[in-house]
Amino acid sequence: MRLVAFLRDNNKQRMTKGALDDFKVMFTRNEPLTGLARAVAFLVIFALGVVAGLWAAAGARQSSGAVGGIVRPRIMQLRSAAVSSYQPAAASAADGTVCCRPDPDAGFTEFVAPTRLMHSMSDEELFWRATLVPVASEFPFRRVPKVAFMFLAGHGALPLAPLWERFFRGHEELFSIYVHAPPGVVINVSESSPFHGRQIPSQETEWGKVSLMDAEKRLLANALLDFSNERFVLVSESCIPVHNFTTVYGYLVGSEQSYVEVYYRNTKQCRNRYSRWMAPDITLRQWRKGSQWFELQRDVATSILADTRYYPLFRRYCRPSCYPDEHYVQTYVAMRHGGANSNRTVTHVDWSTGGAHPVAYGAREATPELVRSIRTSWETCTRNGRPTSICYLFARKFAPEALAPLLNMSAAVMEY
């Protein structure tokens, strides 16, 4: 059909051109013409010109439409995708929900310190974006180092939030909060809470599976989007701070190393979880275990997200009953950043009873004596090469019913 139309258009254009050429020849000849003949010839030429112009315009529109059948839909599709990916944060949907995607006109401030955490990026896109590192040594804005508190809220609630809110109060410029809750779950906090609007895009997690490690990396990636975040702490909904914010901030921002517990033991909980299929990239001599609850420097956190060599091995071979959250970061940091690690955790957990879960503290167990014993360790540890009795900044595992006694003692014991 298009070929026939094309040939028909060409024939008509040739006929028009031929007529014009005939009149041109007539005018260029030296043969005498009467005034009437000249007038008729002029009118005919004018009419042919109008017809040719209209035909050319119609052909251009038709040709543009034909090309649009191939090209224009692609352009429109790209525009539609861009609009769907970048809707203003204040726009409301028909169902009354508020869109929370990035504002394309937010400018530089929103780029260096995102305030709206929900986005449509995939994990691959997010990790790539989070590992962008500025080459320039100086920042074009006033950068105050912040501590990123990353809450892994697997049960979709923060029962100890009132205690944390008291801990954060008055230090708003020195911290950032990120919450990974089950998809579709909205953490119930007031609008004045520092936890309000701090949930990140999440996916389902399963205890002991690689999906839990995926969630930790997702928290790290979203926290890295804020260029002012310098230290990154992973905590759970059952964690509490045992020191005030000033002490915690100074301790972490002033530290020269990360705090990742790393060790190797010839036990079924450590050695027997190793898979020989990880060799030669990860050998048994390099295999490590440690506490899930880490604290990282920014460059170490960026390195973990940029890893495409070791993590796929954990995803493929660290199962079943391997618990990647107790091995991946620990093994990776030992292999790649051993000199920048303190080989200890700053989160106290009591495993003295054995089993798959640590000791849980309820209302009866949450006493001032317990918290004081965690705040000041009997055995000293090192920080920046010097011994210190402050080895733990956080502690778990506190049950929801422990909130009341913890609030009662927070000012006198924990000093906030």
Side-chain angles (χ1 to χ4, degrees), residues 18-334:
L20 290 173
D21 290 341
D22 292 341
F23 279 100
K24 182 178 180 181
V25 171
M26 182 177 68
F27 273 104
T28 56
R29 290 177 181 176
N30 294 325
E31 299 175 1
L33 293 174
T34 64
L36 179 61
R38 286 181 178 274
V40 171
F42 177 81
L43 291 174
V44 171
I45 292 175
F46 179 79
L48 289 174
V50 171
V51 171
L54 293 174
W55 183 264
R61 286 195 298 271
Q62 187 174 5
S63 174
S64 176
V67 174
I70 299 174
V71 178
R72 190 180 300 173
R74 291 180 58 191
I75 297 175
M76 293 304 291
Q77 183 177 1
L78 290 174
R79 289 178 178 175
S80 299
V83 171
S84 64
S85 298
Y86 297 96
Q87 296 180 2
S92 298
D95 60 357
T97 60
V98 178
C99 174
C100 44
R101 289 174 177 169
D103 185 348
D105 301 321
F108 182 74
T109 302
E110 184 68 18
F111 173 76
V112 297
T115 57
R116 293 176 289 277
L117 304 187
M118 301 303 290
H119 52 74
S120 59
M121 288 185 285
S122 66
D123 280 353
E124 182 181 8
E125 295 167 338
L126 173 64
F127 296 167
W128 178 86
R129 165 70 175 82
T131 52
L132 296 179
V133 179
V135 177
S137 58
E138 296 183 358
F139 293 89
F141 60 94
R142 178 177 172 268
R143 183 180 185 269
V144 177
K146 296 191 296 185
V147 177
F149 292 85
M150 306 177 299
F151 288 81
L152 194 59
H155 298 290
L158 295 173
L160 302 178
L163 186 69
W164 282 96
E165 290 167 356
R166 187 176 293 185
F167 167 79
F168 287 126
R169 189 176 302 151
H171 306 282
E172 285 71 19
E173 294 185 357
L174 302 179
F175 69 88
S176 301
I177 295 176
Y178 304 87
V179 181
H180 190 288
V185 174
V186 178
I187 301 296
N188 185 21
V189 293
S190 65
E191 293 186 3
S192 61
S193 171
F195 291 97
H196 180 72
R198 303 307 297 179
Q199 288 183 237
I200 66 170
S202 62
Q203 296 184 26
E204 292 289 349
T205 60
E206 189 175 352
W207 181 77
K209 300 297 179 64
V210 73
S211 59
L212 195 59
M213 189 63 239
D214 289 338
E216 295 179 16
K217 293 181 66 177
R218 210 168 288 125
L219 281 165
L220 270 179
N222 281 277
L224 280 168
L225 296 183
D226 189 329
F227 284 87
S228 293
N229 286 334
E230 188 65 28
R231 310 290 299 206
F232 303 80
V233 186
L234 180 68
V235 292
S236 74
E237 70 269 27
S238 64
C239 284
I240 67 165
V242 295
H243 293 275
N244 60 33
F245 185 90
T246 303
T247 300
V248 171
Y249 179 85
Y251 194 101
L252 296 178
V253 174
S255 292
E256 300 170 355
Q257 296 177 311
S258 296
Y259 294 95
V260 181
E261 184 182 50
V262 172
Y263 62 83
Y264 173 81
R265 292 173 186 168
N266 190 19
T267 62
K268 66 178 182 179
Q269 290 83 9
C270 182
R271 185 189 188 283
N272 289 5
R273 293 179 181 176
Y274 172 76
S275 171
R276 60 185 178 86
W277 296 106
M278 293 184 175
D281 294 292
I282 302 175
T283 64
L284 180 60
R285 292 173 59 89
Q286 296 169 318
W287 182 251
R288 294 294 183 270
K289 187 181 185 297
S291 172
Q292 172 187 5
W293 312 105
F294 56 73
E295 192 280 335
L296 300 172
Q297 298 165 293
R298 186 175 182 92
D299 57 343
V300 177
T302 304
S303 177
I304 289 173
L305 286 183
D307 169 39
T308 57
R309 178 181 180 183
Y310 303 106
Y311 193 59
L313 297 175
F314 279 84
R315 180 176 294 280
R316 186 178 305 172
Y317 301 118
C318 190
R319 55 185 177 87
S321 300
C322 176
Y323 307 101
D325 54 290
E326 295 182 356
H327 292 279
Y328 169 65
V329 170
Q330 296 75 10
T331 300
Y332 183 84
V333 169

Side-chain angles (χ1 to χ4, degrees), residues 1 88 140 168 339 351:
M1 294 295 292
F168 287 126
W351 291 96

